[in-house]
Amino acid sequence: MNQRRDFLKKSATATLAAVAGGSSLLAGCAKKESTSDAPSVHSGKKYEWKMVTTWPPTMPIMQDGAKLLAQWVEEMSAGRMNIQVYGGGELVPSLEAFDAVSQGVAEMGHGSAYYWSGKSQAAQFFAAVPFGMNAQQMNAWIYSGGGQALWDEVYAPFNLLSMPAGNTGFQMGGWFNKEIHSIKDFQGLKMRIPGLGGKVLAKAGGAAVLSAGGEIYTNLERGVIDATEWIAPYHDYKMGFYKVAKYYYYPGWHEPGTVLELFINKSAFENLPKDLQVIIRTAAYRVNLWMLSELESKNDEYLEKLVNEHQVKLRQFPEEVLQTLKKYSEEVIAEIVNADPQSKKVYDSFSQFKKSISGWAAISEKLYYTSIL
Amino acid sequence: MNQRRDFLKKSATATLAAVAGGSSLLAGCAKKESTSDAPSVHSGKKYEWKMVTTWPPTMPIMQDGAKLLAQWVEEMSAGRMNIQVYGGGELVPSLEAFDAVSQGVAEMGHGSAYYWSGKSQAAQFFAAVPFGMNAQQMNAWIYSGGGQALWDEVYAPFNLLSMPAGNTGFQMGGWFNKEIHSIKDFQGLKMRIPGLGGKVLAKAGGAAVLSAGGEIYTNLERGVIDATEWIAPYHDYKMGFYKVAKYYYYPGWHEPGTVLELFINKSAFENLPKDLQVIIRTAAYRVNLWMLSELESKNDEYLEKLVNEHQVKLRQFPEEVLQTLKKYSEEVIAEIVNADPQSKKVYDSFSQFKKSISGWAAISEKLYYTSIL
């Protein structure tokens, strides 16, 4: 007991010396007996983590959301966990975030799983699939329909785990410098459209051009590309595309509800105490819902600005165009799943869930948009 | 300094005595210097709270979600906050939860704001409005469209604050013992349908009958009522209505996306340390998304069971019926907002948001359900 007291005295004195105005930490240690309502002070180990994102450092909503997630974790942990958030290029280039977190250069990343199709073809099914599912159904699949377990399986070889941490909602089809009357209008069309959407465009005879975010506007202005997709009215407005392309097409067939993700170095996560693990997982749900709500609300506001203040010509892809793009999408996906058993396993779950939820959606949400709204 | 050391010694010794195997708490106090990854031990004040819900104690998803929320708060706070969850009738009757939390009998409640229209007519606009908004749009309005600030205003006089903590998603129109061919079929119809939906039914010449959850089945079986609404396929299946009513109607015009709420005694909440406040708010987002995902996923599964295993006859309300119910809904709402300035203020915000988001929805989510899915 004497020995214990000595240790106690020493460690507590050391703690006292370690913090400014030491008595506050002391008060924390004595809280069990206290009836004070002052914020409790935690004396647990402090975690200093880094988060690298795939977003430009000033990108609204996406980068804001990553920072909010860090803020909530810090607040919930009463300062025991501090996450420094780096935008794309600030610590590592955007598209190296996956490797950086896998290797522990940073403990966390925020992005979207289709950026990692070069690492794992199966990853992209946890982000966006052309003619796939919308935000509500992606959440239902991942949280309640078996999607998360498959995602864990896909990321495990990289010493990563991942979870939904945002959703763009339904996107727009993109900006075009000419009208699209039939699928033939895609022939020779140079369009900035990444991922599976780009492969579908190629099947329609177009050329998918890669452009970093900062170059798209100039490429469109100079005719290097004829068209580009980006996100939806709010972000597209900020990019100024309405100044250099006349026609704004819907629907965003290639990204009906893109899941954004929080990916975490698995060893680092497993070494966290349970409370911080649950804090991180819970913050990810919050930012998922926060981002979608912000986007829904702002897209509406900026759609009005585009149409009323900037005379953007809104156009719907003809039904024949959509049906043909859908057929090509199925071909693109079939090629991937036939070549990669893990992609097949994930896509089987995805498409089975989509097929079965469509029965319920047809008598619920569909009616909302066609009869109630 | 000596005095401080004395205090330190005493309080730490007392703490040591207060916990079994005292050294673990001590380790917590010394953690700043430690490099151990063992779970940190918090020494803050312990909070023992009660949550009363409006749900039957065995109600799946709703009561499960309330319990999960309590579990996540306990985990995130590393045991500093324990919330004992009571179903309806276990501590106070379901519909007394509002008063119980307002008066501090319990610190928290889980339910839906339309149960409190007797306290405040404006409350119900934060739950469900006939021909109102679906889950995604209700979230966008409350989280990002100004809804939360109004909700705070409405609940403040009751020393309460509230926030979304679940959503049923789109509901079904209900179970009927006869087919509905025109609005005239509602004349004399005795239907269990609470809230604004019941007032709309009355305008159509029907009689809204109140039945507690446990009595609905028997009332329907014995012909005390001709029809009942409940929730959607999963919960309706569990209630066994398919055994006593043939026709299952959609859409659930009266509840297109009912928000469930976590309401909290304001003084109790304000006396919590900041970390626990953020923990509770974040857990509420999580359970919001969790419930909707569970319901979407299970409704689909049970819809199939109802149709394929129990030969339930699915029917859509004729368009004329929906249009007439919509007109009556507008009348019912007009009567409420004309009589109550606070309801007017809330409904103005609600309907303005709905009107404006419908422009964006018409070229995004609507297309998802009509062209993509």
Side-chain angles (χ1 to χ4, degrees):
Chain A
M1 186 63 179
N2 273 348
Q3 219 176 354
R4 274 201 181 167
R5 277 203 183 163
D6 271 351
F7 170 68
L8 168 71
K9 202 168 152 181
K10 268 181 210 155
S11 68
T13 309
T15 304
L16 196 68
V19 292
S23 59
S24 69
L25 184 64
L26 197 55
C29 286
K31 266 275 163 68
K32 279 252 165 180
E33 291 72 45
S34 150
T35 55
S36 151
D37 284 318
S40 63
V41 176
H42 303 267
S43 45
K45 180 176 169 185
K46 242 193 133 185
Y47 294 84
E48 302 282 350
W49 275 27
K50 296 185 189 76
M51 187 202 294
V52 289
T53 81
T54 59
W55 319 117
T58 57
M59 187 159 181
I61 301 189
M62 281 72 181
Q63 187 70 7
D64 297 344
K67 286 181 185 165
L68 273 175
L69 186 143
Q71 180 192 316
W72 295 327
V73 169
E74 178 155 13
E75 288 171 351
M76 288 192 279
S77 68
R80 284 177 304 132
M81 180 154 213
N82 179 275
I83 302 167
Q84 188 69 36
V85 182
Y86 298 89
E90 290 188 326
L91 187 68
V92 298
S94 291
L95 298 184
E96 290 175 23
F98 187 91
D99 282 341
V101 177
S102 174
Q103 291 155 15
V105 174
E107 291 84 359
M108 276 180 166
H110 194 276
S112 187
Y114 52 25
Y115 294 137
W116 325 125
S117 61
K119 304 282 172 187
S120 158
Q121 284 289 322
Q124 56 202 330
F125 298 107
F126 302 102
V129 175
F131 297 90
M133 292 191 276
N134 70 351
Q136 185 158 309
Q137 296 180 356
M138 283 300 283
N139 283 330
W141 174 54
I142 295 171
Y143 291 134
S144 306
Q148 184 64 61
L150 291 169
W151 203 350
D152 291 345
E153 219 175 286
V154 170
Y155 276 43
F158 304 97
N159 191 32
L160 289 172
L161 56 88
S162 193
M163 60 196 76
N167 197 299
T168 65
F170 205 95
Q171 298 199 11
M172 286 293 285
W175 298 84
F176 293 75
N177 62 13
K178 64 171 189 181
E179 284 193 87
I180 300 294
H181 298 294
S182 86
I183 194 72
K184 287 183 188 142
D185 290 316
F186 284 98
Q187 293 238 342
L189 188 88
K190 288 166 287 173
M191 180 170 181
R192 186 268 178 196
I193 176 170
L196 294 172
K199 290 182 179 164
V200 175
L201 178 71
K203 283 204 181 267
V209 178
L210 286 182
S211 294
E215 296 161 12
I216 305 174
Y217 181 92
T218 314
N219 285 349
L220 195 55
E221 189 179 25
R222 296 185 184 164
V224 176
I225 54 177
D226 308 307
T228 186
E229 62 79 60
W230 187 238
I231 304 176
Y234 176 59
H235 287 94
D236 290 12
Y237 178 94
K238 299 268 173 191
M239 294 289 270
F241 296 139
Y242 60 90
K243 295 174 203 156
V244 289
K246 262 190 184 169
Y247 301 101
Y248 195 21
Y249 270 88
Y250 63 89
W253 54 273
H254 59 306
E255 301 200 34
T258 305
V259 176
L260 310 181
E261 61 168 353
L262 175 70
F263 50 104
I264 308 177
N265 183 283
K266 206 164 171 251
S267 319
F269 188 78
E270 285 167 357
N271 283 329
L272 288 178
K274 175 78 183 286
D275 57 341
L276 293 180
Q277 290 184 359
V278 182
I279 279 174
I280 290 168
R281 286 196 185 275
T282 307
Y285 274 84
R286 179 170 178 177
V287 78
N288 189 1
L289 203 39
W290 178 85
M291 278 199 204
L292 181 61
S293 298
E294 280 289 298
L295 272 152
E296 281 289 287
S297 169
K298 291 212 164 55
N299 278 335
D300 174 66
E301 185 187 339
Y302 283 79
L303 175 65
E304 282 194 36
K305 272 190 213 290
L306 287 169
V307 173
N308 298 329
E309 295 173 19
H310 300 288
Q311 289 77 47
V312 161
K313 294 182 204 301
L314 270 187
R315 292 286 185 274
Q316 181 170 356
F317 287 122
E319 194 56 31
E320 171 255 334
V321 168
L322 285 179
Q323 288 313 317
T324 311
L325 292 173
K326 191 171 187 174
K327 184 171 67 93
Y328 291 149
S329 298
E330 286 160 3
E331 290 173 18
V332 163
I333 293 165
E335 286 160 18
I336 292 168
V337 303
N338 290 340
D340 175 34
Q342 195 172 45
S343 291
K344 182 172 179 349
K345 188 175 177 187
V346 173
Y347 186 67
D348 281 352
S349 166
F350 176 101
S351 55
Q352 177 51 44
F353 191 87
K354 186 188 175 209
K355 189 176 165 223
S356 100
I357 204 171
S358 67
W360 165 234
I363 64 165
S364 59
E365 292 290 350
K366 181 178 179 177
L367 273 287
Y368 176 69
Y369 291 103
T370 53
S371 290
I372 303 282
L373 186 67
Chain B
M1 187 62 182
N2 274 347
Q3 217 173 358
R4 273 200 184 167
R5 280 203 181 162
D6 272 351
F7 170 68
L8 167 70
K9 203 166 149 182
K10 268 182 212 155
S11 68
T13 310
T15 303
L16 196 69
V19 291
S23 58
S24 68
L25 185 64
L26 197 55
C29 285
K31 267 274 163 66
K32 280 252 164 180
E33 290 72 43
S34 150
T35 56
S36 152
D37 283 319
S40 62
V41 175
H42 302 268
S43 44
K45 180 178 169 184
K46 241 193 135 189
Y47 294 85
E48 301 283 349
W49 276 26
K50 295 184 189 75
M51 186 202 295
V52 288
T53 81
T54 59
W55 319 117
T58 57
M59 186 160 182
I61 302 190
M62 281 69 180
Q63 188 70 7
D64 296 344
K67 285 181 186 164
L68 273 175
L69 186 143
Q71 180 192 317
W72 295 326
V73 169
E74 178 154 13
E75 288 171 351
M76 288 193 277
S77 68
R80 285 177 304 134
M81 181 155 212
N82 179 273
I83 301 167
Q84 188 67 38
V85 182
Y86 298 89
E90 290 187 327
L91 189 67
V92 298
S94 291
L95 298 183
E96 288 174 23
F98 187 91
D99 283 342
V101 178
S102 173
Q103 291 155 15
V105 174
E107 291 84 0
M108 276 180 166
H110 194 277
S112 187
Y114 53 25
Y115 295 136
W116 325 124
S117 61
K119 305 281 174 187
S120 157
Q121 284 289 321
Q124 57 201 329
F125 297 106
F126 301 102
V129 175
F131 297 92
M133 291 191 276
N134 70 351
Q136 185 158 309
Q137 297 181 355
M138 283 301 283
N139 283 330
W141 174 54
I142 295 172
Y143 290 134
S144 306
Q148 184 64 61
L150 291 169
W151 202 352
D152 291 346
E153 220 175 286
V154 169
Y155 275 43
F158 303 98
N159 192 33
L160 289 173
L161 55 87
S162 193
M163 60 196 75
N167 196 299
T168 65
F170 205 96
Q171 298 199 11
M172 286 292 285
W175 298 83
F176 293 75
N177 63 12
K178 64 171 188 181
E179 283 194 88
I180 300 293
H181 298 292
S182 87
I183 193 72
K184 285 182 190 144
D185 290 317
F186 284 97
Q187 292 236 344
L189 187 89
K190 288 167 287 171
M191 180 170 181
R192 186 268 178 196
I193 176 170
L196 293 173
K199 290 183 179 165
V200 174
L201 177 70
K203 282 203 184 267
V209 179
L210 287 182
S211 295
E215 296 161 13
I216 305 174
Y217 181 92
T218 314
N219 284 349
L220 195 56
E221 190 178 26
R222 296 186 184 165
V224 177
I225 54 177
D226 308 307
T228 186
E229 62 80 60
W230 186 238
I231 304 176
Y234 176 59
H235 287 93
D236 290 12
Y237 178 93
K238 298 267 173 193
M239 294 288 271
F241 296 139
Y242 60 89
K243 296 174 203 157
V244 289
K246 262 190 185 167
Y247 301 100
Y248 195 21
Y249 269 89
Y250 64 90
W253 55 273
H254 60 305
E255 302 201 33
T258 305
V259 176
L260 309 181
E261 61 168 354
L262 175 69
F263 50 105
I264 308 176
N265 183 282
K266 206 164 173 252
S267 318
F269 188 78
E270 285 167 357
N271 283 329
L272 288 178
K274 175 76 184 286
D275 58 341
L276 293 180
Q277 290 184 359
V278 182
I279 279 174
I280 290 168
R281 286 195 185 277
T282 307
Y285 274 84
R286 179 171 178 177
V287 77
N288 189 3
L289 203 40
W290 179 85
M291 277 198 205
L292 181 61
S293 298
E294 281 291 296
L295 271 152
E296 281 289 287
S297 170
K298 290 212 164 54
N299 278 334
D300 174 65
E301 185 186 338
Y302 283 79
L303 176 65
E304 282 193 36
K305 272 190 213 290
L306 286 169
V307 174
N308 297 330
E309 294 173 21
H310 300 288
Q311 291 76 47
V312 162
K313 294 181 203 300
L314 270 186
R315 292 287 184 274
Q316 182 171 356
F317 288 121
E319 194 57 30
E320 170 255 334
V321 167
L322 285 178
Q323 289 312 317
T324 311
L325 292 173
K326 189 170 189 175
K327 184 172 67 95
Y328 291 149
S329 297
E330 286 160 3
E331 290 173 18
V332 163
I333 292 165
E335 286 159 18
I336 292 167
V337 303
N338 290 338
D340 175 33
Q342 195 173 47
S343 290
K344 183 174 179 346
K345 188 177 176 185
V346 173
Y347 187 67
D348 281 352
S349 166
F350 176 101
S351 55
Q352 177 52 43
F353 190 87
K354 187 188 176 210
K355 189 175 165 222
S356 101
I357 205 170
S358 67
W360 164 235
I363 65 166
S364 59
E365 292 291 350
K366 181 178 179 176
L367 273 287
Y368 176 69
Y369 290 102
T370 53
S371 290
I372 303 285
L373 186 65

